[in-house]
Each structure stands twice: as C-alpha cells, then as structure tokens.
Amino acid sequence: MSYPSDHTSPPDPDDFEHRLARKLEAREAQRAKQNAAPSGWALGLRYGSEFFGGVIAGVFVGLLADHFFGWSPIGLLIGVVLGFAAGSLNIVRAVKSMQN
Amino acid sequence: MADTNPIKQFEIHPIAELSVGGLDLSFTNSSYFMVAAVALTVGLLALATSRATLVPGRAQSVAELLYEFVAGMIRSTAGNDGLRFFPFVFTLFIFILMGNMLGMMPYFPAPDFHGFTFTSHIIVTFALALSVMSVLVGFGIFKNGLKFFKIFVPSGVPIAILPFVILIEIISFISRPVTLGVRLFANMLAGHILLKVFAGFIIMLGSVGALGAVGAVAPLIMVVALTALEFLVAFLQAYVFAVLTCIYLSDALHPGHH
C-alpha cells in the first residue's frame, strides 16, 4: 500500500481507493460492534422482566376477577396460567424484535 | 466502622411534613431529587438555547444533539407521525436520564448530603410507565375509535381459540407497563446495591489490619470499573425506556401493524 501524504507528488489514483477501503472497513467494524449481541446480563434482565411482567399482569387480572365476581380462587389460578402464556408471548416478541 | 448497609441509600426521609386528609404528601428526598432534575434540565436547556446562533456554540450544540437524538429515535421506531409525541418522549427521556445521573453522585447538595436515585423506586418507574400507557390508550381511542382494540385481535387465528388468544393478548398488554417499570427499577436498584456492596468490602477489609488493607485494592478496582458501567447503564436504561415508549406509542398510531 502506498500512502502519499506529502502533496508534492501527483495524486496516485489508487490512493483514493485505499482511503475509501479503509473508511469502509472502519464503518463496517463500527456497525458490527453496534449489531453485536447485547451482553448476557442485559439479555437475561430483558427476558426475565418480560416474563415476570406477564405473570404479574395475569395474577392481577385473576385477582380482579376474584374480587368482582367472587370466583376465588379459580380466577387467580386461571390468571396465573394465562399470565405464563402472556409472559411466553412477550419473550417471543422480544426475541423477534431483537433479531430484526 | 462506617455504615456498610447497601440498601440504606434507598431510604426515604421526609424533608417537609405535609398531610392532606390523612394522606402523607410529605416533601421527601425523592421529591427533592425530582425537583432538582426538572430544575436542572429546564435551567440548562434554557441557558443553552438563550443565545441561539446559526452556528451553535458548545452548549447549544449539546442541546441540539439531544433534540436530534430523540427525534431520530422517534422517527426510526414510530415513523414521522410519531413526532407529535416528541414533547412527551423527550420529557420522559430527559427526566429519567437526569434522575439516573443525579443518582450517580455520592454527595449532592441535598438536605442530608447524600445522593438518591428516584428511579430506583418501583412506584416512580411504574407511575412513569402508567403515564405512557394512559397516553397510548387515550390517544389510540381518540384517533382510531373502536379500531384501536384491533391490537388485541391478531389476524389469521382460528375462531375456536380466538377468545383464548384475545385474553392472552390483553394480559400481555397489561404486562407492558409492569415490564417497562420493572426493567428501569431493577437495573438501577441492582447496580446501586452492587456498587455499595463492593464499596462496603473496601471498608471491611481495610479495618482488619495491614494485610486486609492490601486486599482492599481488589474491590476498589472493582468499584471504579462498576462506576463506569453504572454511568453506561444510567444512560442506556433511559434510552431503553424512551425507545419502548416510542414502540408502544406507534401501536396507538397504527393499530394492527404487528
């Protein structure tokens, strides 16, 4: 590779190509860094909170149903199961959004 | 020996007692830091934009950078329509960011002189998340009418299991504010406890003689590294909160685009 840094010699046509290639390389590296998978800690916390949120919301809805319709404890039981389903759905959505 | 209780930092002390009809509305250190965050943000932004020039100076370019950052975030997640939520998202982002950053200061000109992170209390983050959800539902119904409820009905589901799926979708929707609030809260709480635990090791080791003092260098290095990490987390969590707000708000703009 030639690096004509002094401006006395006529510009080398290859020089531009080299500089461009280096710039592109740097940009690719930066992009790869940005697209790198997030750390395990961040991922775990993300999926954990997604699932946790689903279960909590399910329990909340179940307890509400128990309170207003007097279904205790059937509402809570169904709510927990549906909450698990909703939590799993949340995780699937989170993974999908991260893959895009 | 100094107090090494890692969760003492989250205690709430009333600064000015106030009780309205049996409700405790005291002005606490948490309220103090919220007011400080708002005052600092408004003050700094007003200062930065007071002498606006065509070629921005240092302060002005930071303000413009913030604007461009949040505007770009909204455009990329909710589209150009989403820009009508710009004031809301910008306020949320700056408020959380400022709160997280103020929490990183071990000492602060507050009544008892030590820092406090109001985002490490779930009631605060949950209230912020609920405000997002009320804007989502309110604006969604205002703009789309009953079509808004399409977000609970995924397309292409057999009619036999549709009620079941709708129920799960509704619970999934209710879980959004919980997730949004819990994520910010958990990150701030865990990070600050971790910092204080390692800082506590330094004091414990340092108080057992010369050998301990030498050993205390290891947790000291850890605390320095963790502090840097915590600054990153403080910014990242404000960003994540704002991005998720944008994603959720785009549901209100275009229901049924999953």
Side-chain angles (χ1 to χ4, degrees), chain A residues 41-91:
Chain A
W41 169 246
L43 268 185
L45 215 58
R46 167 103 207 256
Y47 296 152
S49 65
E50 293 283 357
F51 190 71
F52 173 77
V55 177
I56 291 292
V59 167
F60 176 73
V61 169
L63 285 177
L64 228 58
D66 279 349
H67 184 78
F68 286 108
F69 307 117
W71 292 346
S72 181
I74 304 298
L76 178 62
L77 292 177
I78 295 175
V80 169
V81 174
L82 285 180
F84 265 69
S88 314
L89 183 69
N90 283 349
I91 292 185

Side-chain angles (χ1 to χ4, degrees), chain B residues 47-77:
Chain B
L47 198 72
T49 52
S50 62
R51 279 166 293 131
T53 48
L54 193 58
V55 180
R58 243 172 299 173
Q60 196 190 338
S61 48
V62 170
E64 285 180 7
L65 210 68
L66 266 176
Y67 174 90
E68 287 297 329
F69 180 70
V70 177
M73 178 164 80
I74 297 174
R75 269 195 211 103
S76 63
T77 50

Side-chain angles (χ1 to χ4, degrees), chain B residues 85 135-137 139-140 143-144 148 248-255:
Chain B
F85 293 119
V135 168
L136 201 180
V137 174
F139 183 80
K143 178 151 181 277
N144 303 298
F148 172 71
Y248 292 163
L249 287 178
S250 77
D251 263 2
L253 289 166
H254 327 279

Side-chain angles (χ1 to χ4, degrees), chain B residues 17 20 41-42 45 57 72 83 101 113 129 144 179 188 219:
Chain B
E17 305 270 0
V20 179
T41 311
V42 172
L45 280 180
L83 279 179
M101 286 301 174
F113 290 111
N144 303 298
T179 321
M188 298 320 290

Side-chain angles (χ1 to χ4, degrees), chain B residues 7-26:
Chain B
I7 53 171
K8 197 163 184 274
Q9 55 177 325
F10 304 116
E11 278 175 8
I12 288 182
H13 318 281
I15 293 172
E17 305 270 0
L18 177 67
S19 176
V20 179
L23 267 175
D24 188 9
L25 294 183
S26 302

